[in-house]
């Protein structure tokens, strides 16, 4: 305790070194400014004023889904302290604010979360945390990196991964019950949006996926969400993010992600780092918007790393974490008093959040070690000489014995002593509606994504044109068979390789699915059906345009039925390739690794397709079984050659003729059966179905459980505090 007291005294003296310690005068201005006419005088930096406690009276009506909240303004609010930048409404002394807020309260009691292998020194990521959130208020979980912020937020929301174990209790309206669908919303830190849709379109399709009822009823919900997040001027602008569009700024993109959850009108909204990667102006605008949202009755709980003074003044309650330990929970102004009582008052010209993190972030110890023997022009670095480990122990011990901790326990007891109304599910859209919505949305995205769809169509046509001209003028003699087989092989193989250009679009679709499935907006089966139905028109357009160019330039048999089979065969080949890409995209969800894996797989399939060496002559253990049988190139090429050569004959000399099957034996292995070409189409169809069944299991059991984009860094990012 002597070490703790000495460290606290050192920090108190260092924070007061530029001020007059004899007088600590409370002031209504957080920043002490020069008076008019005194511009040449130095600015006076004083210690934090002594804040009085704010009395809060909360009572729950019997049988009512509401909480009455009365506040007695015993001390100035921090929003009034910030140089008048965000003034609070004027209040008369002794005035009482009473408002009825429809919503839900949430309480967590003795909440502990353990994750095996998460930390070297302890498996406990969150340790015995207590707190609550009320309707119409903003509760902020603050702390340095890896302090357990996101873990605590996910634990309260019931969204911990399978590797985590939670101990303790969570109460919603006083009852230990699971929050049903639609009663709460959760916004991830990295929200995946669809860049080729406008804000209004994106939210409208989200509402169609989430809400039951008629289409016209959902337009008003979307407009309410747009207005609630102050997105009116951006409603008809493309979200952007790739292709040629510039896209919305980061702040507006974050608000769109929040608005997506608001279409369900949740009672409680959880947000992971709403100010992530936002500048000071965007962060302030975001917080003002969230404050307005909270005033409508929604209980907001979100994590934050640090904030400006203006943003800090908009918080109602703060939960301060460090290494999983709760250092404080309570009113925002009381946190300043708590640090002052512990011996770490906040300097006047420093942001409260910066001061809190400076005191509890152990990374500052490395800075102290670097600057230990170094001095600047003004002397030693006394402002960074505090041991954060001592500060953390001091703050934790002070909080446990403080009236703030006792007040939290009293409030938890009051909120949980009687059960309120249970939250009810708001229903879901039907599966047929969701499939139709996803199909139409994907078709709209395809029509606008020229880089991933229309450009691919042009490239396929150019490839067919190049191959067709390179193999044109072959004729129908016996000597042209080898060259024509080469043309078919090159066309199928190179077209399949070119199809890999669609990987970025598929990866994007899988990420969007992971984001929507995590909030139960969609499912694996719905996503697959929507993806198939939307991709069929595009793949058919590619198959018919490319087939016509290749078929007539190379000079294949001029029969309509044979041409239609060629188109169908090539279409099934593209459908199988699309399914293979979807499987790989579901496994990796990283464009580089997806393309690398697909190119490798295609090379192996091309080698075993029977062109370079007859399939029956391939080495048995690996190349024949199983590679040549799982290579869709084999069935596609075999079917096209059977379509071209079965039923034909070629003259050998003047008196002898041989069938097309006999002429092809030395070039490619096909079946002599007349209907064998339809067996190859059936094999392609079964492979297309098989790949999508495999994709369904991957999407359902892997992507939905681990929605983050790269499995190599999944464990590190999944619960990043």
């Amino acid at each position: 305790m002597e070490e703790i007291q000495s460290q606290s005294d050192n920090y108190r003296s260092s924070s007061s070194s530029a001020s007059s310690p004899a007088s600590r005068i409370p002031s209504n201005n957080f920043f002490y400014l020069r008076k008019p006419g005194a511009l040449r005088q130095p600015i006076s930096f004083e210690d934090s004023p002594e804040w009085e406690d704010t009395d809060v009276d909360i009572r729950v009506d019997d049988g009512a889904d509401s909480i009455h909240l009365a506040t007695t303004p015993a001390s100035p609010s921090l929003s009034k302290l910030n140089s008048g930048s965000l003034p609070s409404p004027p209040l008369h002394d002794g005035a009482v604010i009473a408002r009825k807020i429809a919503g839900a309260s949430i309480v967590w009691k003795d909440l502990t979360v353990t994750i095996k292998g998460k930390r070297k020194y302890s498996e406990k990521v969150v340790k015995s945390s207590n707190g609550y959130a009320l309707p119409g208020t903003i509760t902020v979980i603050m702390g340095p990196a890896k302090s357990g912020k996101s873990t605590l937020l996910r634990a309260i929301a019931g969204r911990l991964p399978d590797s985590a174990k939670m101990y303790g209790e969570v109460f919603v309206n006083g009852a230990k019950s699971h929050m049903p669908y639609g009663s709460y919303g959760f916004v991830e830190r990295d929200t995946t949006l669809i860049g080729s849709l406008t804000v209004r379109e994106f939210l409208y399709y989200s509402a169609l996926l989430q809400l039951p009822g008629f289409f016209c009823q959902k337009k008003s919900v979307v407009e309410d969400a747009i207005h609630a997040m102050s997105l009116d001027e951006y409603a008809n602008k493309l979200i952007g993010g790739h292709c040629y569009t510039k896209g919305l700024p980061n702040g507006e993109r974050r608000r769109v992600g929040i608005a997506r959850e608001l279409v369900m009108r949740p009672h409680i909204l959880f947000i992971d780092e709403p100010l992530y990667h936002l500048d000071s102006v965007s962060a302030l605008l975001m917080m003002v918007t969230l404050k307005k949202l909270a005033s409508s009755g929604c209980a907001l709980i979100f994590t934050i790393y640090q904030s400006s003074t203006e943003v800090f003044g908009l918080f109602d309650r703060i939960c301060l974490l460090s290494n999983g330990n709760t250092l404080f929970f309570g009113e925002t102004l009381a946190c300043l008093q708590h640090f002052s009582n512990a011996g770490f008052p906040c300097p006047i010209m420093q942001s409260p959040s910066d001061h809190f993190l400076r005191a509890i972030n152990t990374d500052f110890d490395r800075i102290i070690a670097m600057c230990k023997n170094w001095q600047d022009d003004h002397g030693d670095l006394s402002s960074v000489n505090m041991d954060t480990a001592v500060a953390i122990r001091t703050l934790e011990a002070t909080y446990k014995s403080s009236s703030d901790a006792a007040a939290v326990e009293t409030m938890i007891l009051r909120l949980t002593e009687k059960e309120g109304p249970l939250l009810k599910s708001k229903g879901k859209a039907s599966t047929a509606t969701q499939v139709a919505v996803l199909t139409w949305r994907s078709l709209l995205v395809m029509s606008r994504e020229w880089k991933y769809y229309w450009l691919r169509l042009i490239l396929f046509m150019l490839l067919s044109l190049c191959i067709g001209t390179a193999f044109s003028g072959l004729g129908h003699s016996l000597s042209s068979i080898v060259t024509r087989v080469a043309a078919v092989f090159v066309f199928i193989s190179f077209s399949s390789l070119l199809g890999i250009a669609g990987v970025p679009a598929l990866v994007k679709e899988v990420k969007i699915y992971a984001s929507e499935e995590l909030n139960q907006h969609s499912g694996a089966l719905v996503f697959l059906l929507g993806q198939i139905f939307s991709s069929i028109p595009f793949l058919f357009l590619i198959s018919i345009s490319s087939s016509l160019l290749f078929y007539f330039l190379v000079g294949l048999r001029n029969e309509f039925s044979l041409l239609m089979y060629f188109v169908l065969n090539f279409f099934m080949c593209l459908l199988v390739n699309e399914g293979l890409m979807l499987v790989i995209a579901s496994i990796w969800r990283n464009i580089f690794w997806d393309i690398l894996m697909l190119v490798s797989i295609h090379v192996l399939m091309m080698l075993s397709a029977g062109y370079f060496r007859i399939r029956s002559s391939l080495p048995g253990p690996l190349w024949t079984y199983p590679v040549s049988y799982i290579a869709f190139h084999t069935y596609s090429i075999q079917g096209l050659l059977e379509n071209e050569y079965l039923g034909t004959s070629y003259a050998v000399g003047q008196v002898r003729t041989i069938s097309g099957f006999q002429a092809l034996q030395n070039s490619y292995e096909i079946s002599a059966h007349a209907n064998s070409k339809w067996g190859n189409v059936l094999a392609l169809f079964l492979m297309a179905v098989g790949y999508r069944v495999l994709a369904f299991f991957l999407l359902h059991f892997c992507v939905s459980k681990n929605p983050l984009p790269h499995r190599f860094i999944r464990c590190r990012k999944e619960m990043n505090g």
Side-chain angles (χ1 to χ4, degrees), residues 463-533:
L463 176 64
S464 302
L465 182 64
C466 292
I467 298 175
T469 53
F471 290 92
S472 62
L474 295 180
H476 293 277
S477 63
L478 188 61
S479 60
S480 66
I481 292 179
V482 175
T483 309
R484 187 171 276 107
V485 171
V488 173
F489 172 80
V490 170
F491 176 72
I492 295 299
S493 300
F494 284 20
S495 297
S496 301
L497 281 174
L498 186 59
I500 299 177
V503 165
L506 278 178
V507 171
K508 187 76 171 179
E509 288 185 17
V510 172
K511 289 182 179 180
I512 293 170
Y513 156 76
S515 177
E516 293 178 340
E517 199 278 339
L518 199 61
N519 288 336
Q520 303 178 37
H521 300 170
S522 179
L525 181 60
V526 171
F527 168 75
L528 276 178
L529 292 176
Q531 196 274 336
I532 292 172
F533 293 151

Side-chain angles (χ1 to χ4, degrees), residues 491 547 550-551 556 562-570 640:
F491 176 72
S547 297
F550 175 81
Y551 198 90
L556 300 181
L562 301 182
L563 173 62
M564 288 299 98
Y565 176 86
F566 192 100
V567 173
L568 177 62
N569 184 294
F570 186 51
L640 293 178

Side-chain angles (χ1 to χ4, degrees), residues 695-713:
F696 169 80
F697 286 104
L698 290 173
L699 291 169
H700 184 71
F701 294 104
C702 297
V703 177
S704 60
K705 300 294 182 182
N706 302 287
L708 296 170
H710 199 309
R711 68 183 303 162
F712 284 152
I713 58 175

Side-chain angles (χ1 to χ4, degrees), residues 57 93 97 99 145 201 325 351 392 510 548 614 627:
D57 180 29
D93 294 338
I97 303 173
R99 57 175 177 170
E201 289 171 342
N325 298 302
S351 168
I392 292 172
V510 172
L548 288 174
I614 300 297
V627 177

Side-chain angles (χ1 to χ4, degrees), residues 77-322:
S77 66
L78 205 62
S79 59
K80 193 175 180 181
L81 300 176
N82 297 330
S83 306
S85 58
L86 289 172
S88 300
L91 300 172
H92 301 289
D93 294 338
V96 175
I97 303 173
R99 57 175 177 170
K100 189 173 182 179
I101 306 172
S105 65
I106 188 166
V107 174
W108 60 97
K109 183 179 179 182
D110 294 329
L111 201 61
T112 299
V113 179
T114 62
I115 302 178
K116 189 174 182 180
K118 173 67 177 176
R119 291 174 178 166
K120 296 181 179 179
Y121 51 87
S122 175
E123 293 182 355
K124 293 183 178 180
V125 182
V126 178
K127 307 170 186 176
S128 300
S129 178
N130 296 295
Y132 58 89
L134 301 176
T137 63
I138 295 178
T139 303
V140 177
I141 304 173
M142 181 182 290
K146 299 181 181 180
S147 61
K149 302 187 299 297
S150 295
T151 305
L152 177 58
L153 186 74
R154 294 176 186 277
I156 299 171
R159 294 166 65 99
L160 287 172
D162 295 336
S163 58
K165 292 184 179 180
M166 187 185 79
Y167 307 91
E169 299 172 312
V170 177
F171 300 85
V172 181
N173 279 346
K176 290 193 291 185
S177 60
H178 177 72
M179 288 180 288
Y181 173 78
S183 63
Y184 78 101
F186 194 101
V187 183
E188 296 285 348
R189 183 176 64 179
D190 298 315
T191 305
T192 304
L193 307 177
I194 304 176
S196 54
L197 297 180
T198 65
V199 173
R200 181 174 278 110
E201 289 171 342
F202 177 76
L203 296 179
Y204 184 58
Y205 284 118
S206 297
L208 294 177
L209 284 175
Q210 300 177 55
L211 297 172
F214 298 102
F215 291 94
C216 58
Q217 297 175 345
K218 301 174 185 178
K219 290 185 177 180
S220 61
V221 176
V222 171
E223 295 302 323
D224 291 343
I226 291 175
H227 180 69
M229 295 310 297
S230 303
L231 291 168
D232 301 84
E233 62 177 301
Y234 300 98
N236 295 319
K237 293 184 178 180
L238 291 175
I239 297 174
H242 55 244
C243 290
Y244 60 92
T245 55
K246 183 179 179 181
L248 299 180
N250 287 335
E252 281 65 34
R253 291 173 65 88
R254 290 291 289 162
R255 281 187 277 153
V256 172
I258 297 173
R260 178 173 65 178
E261 298 303 315
L262 291 183
V263 298
M264 290 294 294
R265 294 176 177 172
H267 300 285
I268 306 170
L269 184 61
F270 302 91
I271 312 175
D272 193 7
E273 296 279 4
L275 309 184
Y276 184 61
H277 281 175
L278 299 187
D279 56 60
S280 58
V281 176
S282 299
L284 181 59
L285 179 59
M286 171 68 79
M287 274 307 307
V288 171
T289 305
L290 293 178
K291 190 70 174 179
K292 182 180 70 172
L293 175 62
S295 67
S296 66
C298 182
L300 266 66
I301 308 175
F302 58 80
T303 62
I304 193 172
Y305 179 74
Q306 66 182 61
S307 66
S308 63
T309 306
E310 290 85 356
V311 170
F312 185 83
L314 296 175
F315 302 156
D316 293 306
R317 291 177 187 84
I318 182 173
C319 177
L320 197 61
L321 295 181
S322 180

